[in-house]
């Protein structure tokens, strides 16, 4: 019940277009959903997160939506730029006395100039 | 301030040898996590510390893996009798330990372990 499926595994877009990455989880107790960006050879960094008491959160060109009924959440990047090229990981944390994050397999985003 | 640091950055060892990986969390962070990232894969949770205790060790793959944290700060992950399948990047993260642990985890640069 802890797994998270992430799609697509690779995504190539033209600069200026939008990119959408989707994740599906199975644990109905999950209540925290962060997204991490990992550039080649670097550490993962949080770009946005959402908690289960809201359905959408936006930060400039990045937005995350959460559908708790369907158990899926999505990352939306608008007006993509070449520097957005990286691997993006979704994750979720279940309710309980642990901060353990369960990560998706990652999406390699390539933004073509 | 300083971020999470890890050492060594790279470690090459022979099958059967023991290795120790070190993590220095952000000062004041009481929560510390170890994850493993195999090539082209997502991050796999290993263990979580709150202070010096480990309430969640559910991700440790076998009894060859152990971790400790002393003084509520530095943590070491030890892998005994290393196997080739242990080759991966081992990432450490820390967080303040508040907000019900639903808070940003800050990652270190990782230790790349290669077992020959």
């Amino acid at each position: 019940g802890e797994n998270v499926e992430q799609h697509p595994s690779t995504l190539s877009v033209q600069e200026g277009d939008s990119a959408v990455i989707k994740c599906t989880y199975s644990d109905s107790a999950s209540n925290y959903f962060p997204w991490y960006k990992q550039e080649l050879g670097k550490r993962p960094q949080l770009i946005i997160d959402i908690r289960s008491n809201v359905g959408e959160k936006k930060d400039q060109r990045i937005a995350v939506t959460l559908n708790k009924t369907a158990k899926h959440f999505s990352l939306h990047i608008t007006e993509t730029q070449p520097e957005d090229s990286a691997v993006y990981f979704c994750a979720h944390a279940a309710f309980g006395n642990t901060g353990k994050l369960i990560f998706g397999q990652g999406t390699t985003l390539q933004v073509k100039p | 301030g300083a971020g999470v640091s890890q050492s060594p950055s790279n470690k090459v060892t022979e099958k059967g040898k023991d290795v120790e990986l070190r993590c220095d969390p952000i000062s004041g962070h009481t929560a510390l996590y170890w994850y493993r990232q195999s090539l082209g894969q997502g991050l796999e949770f290993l263990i979580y510390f709150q202070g010096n205790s480990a309430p969640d060790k559910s991700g440790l793959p076998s009894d060859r893996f152990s971790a400790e944290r002393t003084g509520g700060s530095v943590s070491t992950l030890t892998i005994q009798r290393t196997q080739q399948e242990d080759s991966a990047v081992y990432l450490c993260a820390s967080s303040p330990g508040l907000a019900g642990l639903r808070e940003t985890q800050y990652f270190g640069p990782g230790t790349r372990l290669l077992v020959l």
Side-chain angles (χ1 to χ4, degrees):
Chain A
E2 291 188 334
N3 291 340
V4 56
E5 292 188 6
Q6 183 171 346
H7 298 282
S9 56
T10 60
L11 180 59
S12 182
V13 300
Q14 209 64 39
E15 182 178 359
D17 287 350
S18 295
V20 180
I21 303 170
K22 299 182 179 180
C23 288
T24 304
Y25 62 99
S26 54
D27 187 351
S28 57
S30 295
N31 61 0
Y32 176 60
F33 307 87
W35 286 87
Y36 282 82
K37 175 183 179 182
Q38 186 175 33
E39 296 178 11
L40 189 62
K42 300 201 174 171
R43 69 189 77 188
Q45 291 193 305
L46 181 80
I47 53 171
I48 195 167
D49 58 13
I50 192 168
R51 289 168 175 76
S52 58
N53 57 343
V54 298
E56 184 174 357
K57 183 176 179 181
K58 191 173 181 180
D59 183 4
Q60 298 183 344
R61 297 186 296 109
I62 296 172
V64 57
T65 58
L66 171 64
N67 183 328
K68 284 217 73 180
T69 303
K71 296 181 188 173
H72 63 70
F73 56 113
S74 300
L75 178 71
H76 305 253
I77 306 174
T78 59
E79 301 172 26
T80 53
Q81 301 167 3
E83 52 264 39
D84 294 331
S85 296
V87 180
Y88 290 81
F89 293 97
C90 64
H92 71 107
F95 179 83
N97 191 27
T98 174
K100 172 173 70 174
L101 292 177
I102 306 299
F103 283 84
Q105 292 301 298
T107 296
T108 301
L109 173 64
Q110 182 186 27
V111 180
K112 299 177 182 176
Chain B
V4 178
S5 60
Q6 293 185 245
S7 61
S9 54
N10 291 280
K11 176 71 177 179
V12 181
T13 190
E14 293 180 349
K15 178 182 172 181
K17 295 284 181 68
D18 297 351
V19 295
E20 270 193 6
L21 312 180
R22 177 188 168 107
C23 172
D24 280 89
I26 292 172
S27 178
H29 281 192
T30 62
L32 185 148
Y33 313 83
W34 284 98
Y35 294 89
R36 178 169 72 173
Q37 186 173 30
S38 300
L39 187 63
Q41 299 296 309
L43 284 73
E44 174 191 5
F45 169 80
L46 298 177
I47 188 169
Y48 149 64
F49 285 93
Q50 180 63 266
N52 291 337
S53 63
D56 191 345
K57 306 178 183 179
S58 62
L60 293 178
S62 74
D63 58 8
R64 296 187 296 105
F65 288 73
S66 63
E68 65 175 14
R69 190 179 185 194
T70 55
S73 181
V74 172
S75 176
T76 55
L77 176 69
T78 301
I79 309 174
Q80 295 179 311
R81 305 180 301 282
T82 51
Q83 303 294 312
Q84 289 180 332
E85 59 262 30
D86 298 335
S87 297
V89 177
Y90 289 81
L91 289 159
C92 174
S94 72
S95 69
L98 306 172
L101 297 169
R102 303 301 176 255
E103 55 195 9
T104 302
Q105 294 185 16
Y106 297 88
F107 282 85
T111 293
R112 188 175 300 275
L113 174 66
L114 178 60
V115 182
L116 301 176

